[in-house]
Amino acid sequence: MNWAVVIPLMTFFFIIFGAGFWSLRFVKKSNQFLHEYFLGSRELGGFVLAMTMIATYGSASSFIGGPGAAYTQGLGWVLLAMAQVATGYFVLMVLGKKFAIYARKYDAVTLIDFLRKRYGNSRTVVFISAASIIIFLFSAMVAQWVGGARLIESLTGLEYTTALFIFAVTVLIYVIIGGFRAVALTDMIQGIVMVFGTLIILIGTIVAGGGISAIITDLATENPNLISPFGHDGSLTPAYVSSFWILVGVGVLALPQVAVRAMSYKNARSMHRALIVGTCVVGFIMLGMHLIGVFARAVMPGIEVPDTVMPLITMEVLPPWLAGMVLAAPLAAIMSTVDSLLLIVSSAVVKDIYLNYIQPDAEEKQVRRMSFLVTSILGVAIFAAALSPPDLLIWMNLFAFGGLQSAFIWPIVMGLYWQGANKYGAVTAMVTGIITYACIHNFYPHMFGVHTVVFPVIFSFMTFVLASWLGKDKVMRSLKSA
Amino acid sequence: MSRDNHQNDPRFKIANREALIGVGLVLINFGWWYGFAYGLGSGPVEDYTYVFGFPAWFFYSCILGFIVMAVLVLIVVKGFFTYVSFEDNEPDNESEGGQE
């Protein structure tokens, strides 16, 4: 085992544990368990908020898959990744104050709470949203756990099963005991690690490659397309690259794990600060990480498996002790994504299903026990699934985020900004979004050369407006008779 | 549903304006990004010019574009975003009020 790498990594794990136990104090003290456990009692300040949004959103794909794709595609992939700068400000500006005000008005703890109250307590809305959150995010988590375990495996030389076990136990302990506050705090630590990790690896890679000019010349000699915006084989068309603005830029506001953070800020000042910090940090991480992937090609040509580019280049350009420290960055990215997903799925089960429909008058103590229990069971189930992921899960994970965006973007945005939005529109839009996404994804990907997410979002919008308008009279009638 | 609430709350005017600013920023961001990337990068690679070692299209679109957006966000938030209270029981907190 490579101790120089392992010791810094273990230190990182212990710090994360510490944050979990510190948060346990708040969970124990709180007399509003649900608000504390699933929302950190709406006390997030600006810096923590910005970091937790970035860490949650920046997942295995930005730290492992993204740089790998950049290694293959060249600067064109960095261009594509830069669509994510928009998430830094767009999500918070659009959900912004209105979502926070509604969340408090409605006393909403989860995204589904908001949708339920906004759309007249519709059971169908709750059912479809909860089902899609549970199914999609469960499969997304399995993929992230596999990624986390593979990374630990490659760093320490442990067996896959052991690596998965270590990863799972760490994440589960701090999430189960500390809830949202622990997740936000560890996200902040992980976010800081991600920023410095990116900076150090980037500098190391540039130095190893003999400067930016030398690297770019190397790349152009190998294949001029690598430094063009069109990808190594010219396949990155402007239409395709631009359509990523929906998937990774503006559509991100519809991901439940991101949206719920817009309910958790302490006040407008935290939100303002988060906007500025968030934009700078997300842009820096995305630019840096993907550039590392491109530059790595000049330093270490011929890497066969793109997903291993990041760990390999780090071990190559940095001394082992430093590599151990900064390799915590991709691990941090994965952990900070799964911890939020875990909490979102658990809140969908406990708060949105159990408390709404099964046991509405459950006592505080019961809710507490139920939350710990559900989170633990979910953790064990994901662990089991990640041991050898079934094909179905892999298949679902492929469109988890796009599917969630197609389902939720209009019910959230129209619910906030259009008076005429009603439950008929919301239900139709969610169903249309999910079904068209699944169909296009399977039968006709890259329709008209754009990413699969584009058309479901358009169809979902049209059906939302149409169904809301058709259902208008029914809503008015039920309002009058009530 | 609480239709009256929707219209009367003065905070929503501010919130709506800020959301529109967000949409505006994305459009500016997209235009800048797209314009420089495909405006400067579409020609043959041999004719590229370079800035700090990067191809010019990449430098202006991705690096300078990011810096420009960060500065714009800073200006917009400091200059045009208004402090409002999120709680219902203290609708207007004037002492904390004003622009951030």
Side-chain angles (χ1 to χ4, degrees):
Chain A
M1 201 181 282
N2 189 349
W3 287 105
V5 177
V6 172
I7 291 172
L9 267 181
M10 274 166 56
T11 318
F12 171 72
F13 275 89
F14 279 113
I15 296 174
I16 298 292
F17 271 128
F21 280 102
W22 188 75
S23 310
L24 179 62
R25 295 205 324 226
F26 289 88
V27 177
K28 272 189 175 156
K29 263 195 313 202
S30 172
N31 46 12
Q32 273 205 303
F33 173 75
L34 283 173
H35 278 82
E36 171 61 33
Y37 195 72
F38 290 125
L39 215 50
S41 304
R42 300 194 216 276
E43 281 178 350
L44 292 200
F47 185 71
V48 180
L49 177 67
M51 290 315 238
T52 181
M53 294 200 71
I54 293 153
T56 299
Y57 170 63
S59 61
S61 62
S62 8
F63 274 79
I64 304 291
Y71 183 89
T72 316
Q73 294 280 359
L75 288 180
W77 196 264
V78 189
L79 177 71
L80 183 153
M82 288 312 278
Q84 295 171 96
V85 173
T87 45
Y89 54 90
F90 188 76
V91 172
L92 280 181
M93 282 188 186
V94 168
L95 293 176
K97 297 188 168 129
K98 218 160 183 183
F99 200 55
I101 293 168
Y102 271 122
R104 282 165 163 83
K105 249 193 217 311
Y106 293 164
D107 197 29
V109 172
T110 64
L111 172 64
I112 300 181
D113 273 343
F114 165 76
L115 294 175
R116 179 168 58 88
K117 300 229 167 98
R118 173 64 182 85
Y119 295 110
N121 277 318
S122 160
R123 270 170 182 260
T124 327
V125 169
V126 173
F127 178 76
I128 300 177
S129 337
S132 41
I133 286 179
I134 293 169
I135 295 170
F136 284 133
L137 289 189
F138 187 87
S139 34
M141 270 190 283
V142 173
Q144 298 276 335
W145 286 43
V146 173
R150 290 251 179 265
L151 190 65
I152 297 181
E153 187 188 13
S154 69
L155 295 180
T156 59
L158 292 169
E159 274 195 31
Y160 175 73
T161 320
T162 321
L164 181 66
F165 186 75
I166 296 176
F167 182 78
V169 168
T170 314
V171 172
L172 280 177
I173 288 180
Y174 75 76
V175 176
I176 291 172
I177 64 171
F180 188 85
R181 192 184 294 267
V183 168
L185 260 179
T186 50
D187 278 2
M188 183 191 69
I189 300 168
Q190 288 153 348
I192 296 170
V193 171
M194 281 154 72
V195 171
F196 285 101
T198 307
L199 184 67
I200 294 169
I201 306 174
L202 182 62
I203 294 173
T205 313
I206 293 175
V207 172
I212 295 169
S213 294
I215 293 175
I216 297 287
T217 316
D218 273 358
L219 292 173
T221 323
E222 189 194 332
N223 176 358
N225 281 335
L226 287 174
I227 63 164
S228 82
F230 301 103
H232 70 128
D233 54 1
S235 60
L236 296 179
T237 63
Y240 183 69
V241 174
S242 299
S243 63
F244 271 79
W245 277 73
I246 294 185
L247 184 73
V248 300
V250 301
V252 172
L253 71 87
L255 297 178
Q257 68 273 29
V258 172
V260 77
R261 278 162 173 69
M263 293 182 168
S264 64
Y265 19 92
K266 202 172 185 179
N267 53 33
R269 195 157 289 138
S270 329
M271 179 202 143
H272 295 167
R273 193 159 302 151
L275 270 167
I276 298 165
V277 178
T279 308
C280 296
V281 173
V282 89
F284 174 76
I285 289 182
M286 292 307 160
L287 183 65
M289 271 294 145
H290 292 89
L291 269 182
I292 293 168
V294 177
F295 290 173
R297 198 182 179 98
V299 180
M300 297 178 82
I303 295 178
E304 300 271 322
V305 185
D307 278 1
T308 57
V309 167
M310 211 52 212
L312 286 179
I313 189 76
T314 311
M315 307 267 231
E316 168 79 19
V317 301
L318 297 179
W321 60 273
L322 193 57
M325 266 190 249
V326 299
L327 276 175
L331 199 62
I334 297 172
M335 286 170 99
S336 56
T337 303
V338 295
D339 59 14
S340 320
L341 299 188
L342 194 60
L343 211 57
I344 290 285
V345 176
S346 146
S347 73
V349 176
V350 177
K351 177 79 177 67
D352 300 318
I353 295 179
Y354 177 76
L355 274 181
N356 274 340
Y357 300 117
I358 300 175
Q359 192 72 267
D361 44 338
E363 279 173 39
E364 178 88 13
K365 223 172 129 192
Q366 241 173 321
V367 177
R368 235 171 237 263
R369 209 177 310 140
M370 192 67 192
S371 307
F372 296 143
L373 190 72
V374 168
T375 316
S376 317
I377 293 176
L378 276 171
V380 175
I382 298 163
F383 178 77
L387 278 175
S388 59
D391 288 346
L392 181 69
L393 280 183
I394 294 172
W395 179 80
M396 281 195 302
N397 173 61
L398 275 177
F399 63 82
F401 285 0
L404 283 168
Q405 292 181 5
S406 315
F408 287 120
I409 188 163
W410 299 116
I412 296 176
V413 174
M414 302 292 253
L416 288 174
Y417 294 101
W418 186 38
Q419 297 269 335
N422 59 39
K423 62 179 176 187
Y424 301 101
V427 170
T428 321
M430 286 198 280
V431 174
T432 313
I434 295 171
I435 292 178
T436 48
Y437 191 85
C439 290
I440 297 177
H441 182 84
N442 279 307
F443 303 120
Y444 203 0
H446 309 327
M447 195 154 74
F448 302 111
V450 297
H451 187 272
T452 315
V453 79
V454 175
F455 285 98
V457 167
I458 296 172
F459 292 144
S460 168
F461 175 77
M462 294 192 299
T463 49
F464 191 111
V465 175
L466 188 69
S468 289
W469 183 70
L470 290 176
K472 192 176 62 180
D473 296 338
K474 282 191 193 169
V475 176
M476 294 308 281
R477 221 176 296 138
S478 68
L479 273 178
K480 272 177 198 149
S481 64
Chain B
M1 284 230 6
S2 46
R3 286 198 152 244
D4 302 321
N5 260 348
H6 284 248
Q7 280 152 352
N8 291 342
D9 200 321
R11 294 174 294 175
F12 284 169
K13 219 180 199 166
I14 296 168
N16 291 349
R17 193 190 60 193
E18 292 178 1
L20 280 178
I21 293 177
V23 175
L25 282 180
V26 166
L27 294 176
I28 296 171
N29 195 349
F30 182 83
W32 182 289
W33 171 91
Y34 192 96
F36 278 110
Y38 296 106
L40 294 176
S42 293
V45 175
E46 305 87 72
D47 301 346
Y48 278 2
T49 49
Y50 296 86
V51 183
F52 296 119
F54 293 103
W57 72 264
F58 182 81
F59 178 80
Y60 289 116
S61 172
C62 296
I63 300 176
L64 192 66
F66 161 49
I67 297 168
V68 166
M69 285 320 294
V71 173
L72 276 183
V73 169
L74 185 77
I75 294 171
V76 160
V77 171
K78 291 284 179 199
F80 299 95
F81 275 41
T82 318
Y83 187 93
V84 298
S85 165
F86 293 151
E87 308 295 338
D88 264 349
N89 42 16
E90 33 168 346
D92 257 326
N93 202 336
E94 284 302 333
S95 61
E96 297 224 52
Q99 299 193 323
E100 287 276 292

Coordinates of all heavy atoms in Angstrom, one line a residue, chain A residues 447-474:
Chain A
M447 N -31.4 13.9 -31.5 CA -32.4 14.3 -32.6 C -32.0 15.7 -33.1 O -31.7 16.6 -32.3 CB -33.8 14.3 -31.9 CG -34.9 14.4 -33.0 SD -36.4 13.7 -32.3 CE -37.0 14.9 -31.2
F448 N -31.9 15.9 -34.4 CA -31.5 17.1 -35.0 C -30.2 17.6 -34.5 O -30.0 18.8 -34.4 CB -32.6 18.2 -34.9 CG -33.9 17.8 -35.4 CD1 -35.0 17.6 -34.6 CD2 -34.1 17.6 -36.8 CE1 -36.2 17.2 -35.1 CE2 -35.3 17.2 -37.3 CZ -36.4 17.0 -36.5
G449 N -29.3 16.7 -34.0 CA -28.0 17.1 -33.6 C -27.9 17.8 -32.3 O -26.8 18.4 -32.0
V450 N -28.9 17.8 -31.5 CA -28.8 18.4 -30.1 C -28.9 17.3 -29.1 O -29.3 16.2 -29.3 CB -29.9 19.5 -29.9 CG1 -29.7 20.6 -30.9 CG2 -31.3 18.9 -29.9
H451 N -28.5 17.7 -27.8 CA -28.6 16.8 -26.7 C -30.0 16.3 -26.5 O -31.0 17.1 -26.6 CB -28.0 17.4 -25.5 CG -27.9 16.4 -24.4 ND1 -28.9 16.1 -23.5 CD2 -26.9 15.5 -24.1 CE1 -28.5 15.2 -22.6 NE2 -27.3 14.8 -23.0
T452 N -30.2 15.1 -26.0 CA -31.5 14.5 -25.8 C -32.4 15.3 -24.9 O -33.6 15.3 -25.0 CB -31.3 13.1 -25.1 OG1 -30.3 12.5 -25.8 CG2 -32.6 12.3 -25.1
V453 N -31.9 16.1 -24.0 CA -32.7 16.8 -23.0 C -33.5 18.0 -23.7 O -34.6 18.4 -23.2 CB -31.9 17.4 -21.9 CG1 -31.1 18.7 -22.3 CG2 -32.7 17.6 -20.6
V454 N -33.1 18.5 -24.8 CA -33.7 19.7 -25.4 C -35.2 19.5 -25.7 O -36.0 20.3 -25.3 CB -32.9 20.2 -26.6 CG1 -33.6 21.3 -27.3 CG2 -31.5 20.5 -26.2
F455 N -35.5 18.5 -26.5 CA -36.9 18.4 -26.9 C -37.9 18.0 -25.8 O -39.0 18.6 -25.8 CB -37.0 17.4 -28.1 CG -36.5 18.0 -29.4 CD1 -35.2 17.8 -29.8 CD2 -37.3 18.9 -30.1 CE1 -34.7 18.4 -30.9 CE2 -36.8 19.6 -31.2 CZ -35.5 19.3 -31.6
P456 N -37.5 17.1 -24.9 CA -38.5 16.9 -23.8 C -38.8 18.2 -23.0 O -39.9 18.4 -22.6 CB -37.7 15.9 -22.9 CG -36.8 15.2 -23.8 CD -36.4 16.1 -24.9
V457 N -37.8 19.0 -22.9 CA -38.0 20.3 -22.1 C -39.0 21.2 -22.9 O -39.9 21.8 -22.3 CB -36.7 21.0 -21.8 CG1 -36.9 22.4 -21.4 CG2 -35.9 20.3 -20.8
I458 N -38.9 21.2 -24.2 CA -39.8 22.0 -25.1 C -41.2 21.4 -25.0 O -42.2 22.1 -24.8 CB -39.3 22.1 -26.5 CG1 -37.9 22.8 -26.5 CG2 -40.3 22.8 -27.4 CD1 -37.2 22.8 -27.8
F459 N -41.3 20.1 -25.2 CA -42.6 19.4 -25.2 C -43.3 19.6 -23.9 O -44.5 19.9 -23.8 CB -42.5 17.9 -25.5 CG -42.1 17.6 -26.9 CD1 -41.2 16.5 -27.1 CD2 -42.5 18.4 -27.9 CE1 -40.8 16.2 -28.4 CE2 -42.1 18.1 -29.2 CZ -41.2 17.0 -29.5
S460 N -42.5 19.5 -22.8 CA -43.1 19.6 -21.5 C -43.6 21.0 -21.3 O -44.7 21.1 -20.7 CB -41.9 19.3 -20.5 OG -42.3 19.6 -19.2
F461 N -42.9 22.0 -21.8 CA -43.4 23.4 -21.7 C -44.8 23.5 -22.4 O -45.7 24.1 -21.8 CB -42.4 24.3 -22.2 CG -42.9 25.8 -22.3 CD1 -42.9 26.5 -21.1 CD2 -43.3 26.4 -23.4 CE1 -43.3 27.8 -21.1 CE2 -43.8 27.7 -23.4 CZ -43.8 28.4 -22.3
M462 N -44.8 23.0 -23.6 CA -46.1 23.2 -24.4 C -47.2 22.5 -23.7 O -48.3 23.1 -23.6 CB -45.9 22.7 -25.8 CG -44.8 23.5 -26.5 SD -44.7 23.2 -28.3 CE -44.3 21.5 -28.4
T463 N -47.0 21.3 -23.2 CA -48.1 20.6 -22.6 C -48.5 21.2 -21.3 O -49.7 21.2 -20.9 CB -47.8 19.1 -22.4 OG1 -46.6 19.0 -21.8 CG2 -47.8 18.3 -23.7
F464 N -47.5 21.8 -20.6 CA -47.8 22.4 -19.3 C -48.8 23.6 -19.6 O -49.9 23.7 -18.9 CB -46.6 23.0 -18.7 CG -46.7 23.5 -17.3 CD1 -46.1 22.8 -16.3 CD2 -47.5 24.6 -17.0 CE1 -46.3 23.2 -14.9 CE2 -47.6 25.0 -15.7 CZ -47.0 24.3 -14.7
V465 N -48.5 24.4 -20.5 CA -49.4 25.6 -20.8 C -50.7 25.1 -21.3 O -51.8 25.6 -20.8 CB -48.7 26.5 -21.9 CG1 -49.6 27.6 -22.2 CG2 -47.4 27.0 -21.3
L466 N -50.8 24.2 -22.2 CA -52.0 23.7 -22.7 C -52.9 23.1 -21.6 O -54.1 23.4 -21.5 CB -51.7 22.7 -23.8 CG -53.0 22.2 -24.6 CD1 -53.4 23.4 -25.5 CD2 -52.6 21.0 -25.5
A467 N -52.4 22.2 -20.8 CA -53.2 21.5 -19.8 C -53.6 22.4 -18.7 O -54.7 22.3 -18.2 CB -52.4 20.3 -19.2
S468 N -52.7 23.4 -18.4 CA -53.1 24.4 -17.3 C -54.3 25.2 -17.8 O -55.3 25.5 -17.1 CB -52.0 25.3 -17.0 OG -51.0 24.7 -16.3
W469 N -54.3 25.5 -19.1 CA -55.3 26.3 -19.7 C -56.6 25.5 -19.8 O -57.7 26.0 -19.4 CB -54.9 26.8 -21.1 CG -55.8 27.7 -21.7 CD1 -56.1 29.0 -21.4 CD2 -56.6 27.4 -22.9 NE1 -57.0 29.5 -22.2 CE2 -57.4 28.6 -23.2 CE3 -56.7 26.3 -23.7 CZ2 -58.3 28.6 -24.2 CZ3 -57.6 26.3 -24.8 CH2 -58.4 27.5 -25.0
L470 N -56.5 24.3 -20.2 CA -57.7 23.4 -20.3 C -58.3 23.2 -19.0 O -59.5 23.1 -18.8 CB -57.4 22.1 -21.0 CG -57.1 22.2 -22.5 CD1 -56.7 20.8 -23.0 CD2 -58.3 22.7 -23.3
G471 N -57.4 23.0 -18.0 CA -57.9 22.7 -16.6 C -58.4 23.9 -15.8 O -58.8 23.7 -14.7
K472 N -58.2 25.1 -16.4 CA -58.5 26.3 -15.6 C -59.9 26.3 -15.0 O -60.0 26.6 -13.8 CB -58.3 27.5 -16.6 CG -58.2 28.8 -16.0 CD -57.9 29.9 -17.0 CE -59.1 29.9 -18.0 NZ -58.9 30.9 -19.1
D473 N -60.9 26.0 -15.8 CA -62.3 26.1 -15.3 C -62.5 25.1 -14.1 O -63.2 25.5 -13.2 CB -63.2 25.7 -16.5 CG -63.1 26.7 -17.6 OD1 -62.7 27.9 -17.3 OD2 -63.5 26.4 -18.7
K474 N -61.9 23.9 -14.2 CA -62.1 23.0 -13.1 C -61.5 23.5 -11.8 O -62.2 23.4 -10.8 CB -61.4 21.7 -13.5 CG -62.1 20.8 -14.4 CD -61.4 19.4 -14.5 CE -61.9 18.6 -15.6 NZ -61.2 17.4 -15.9

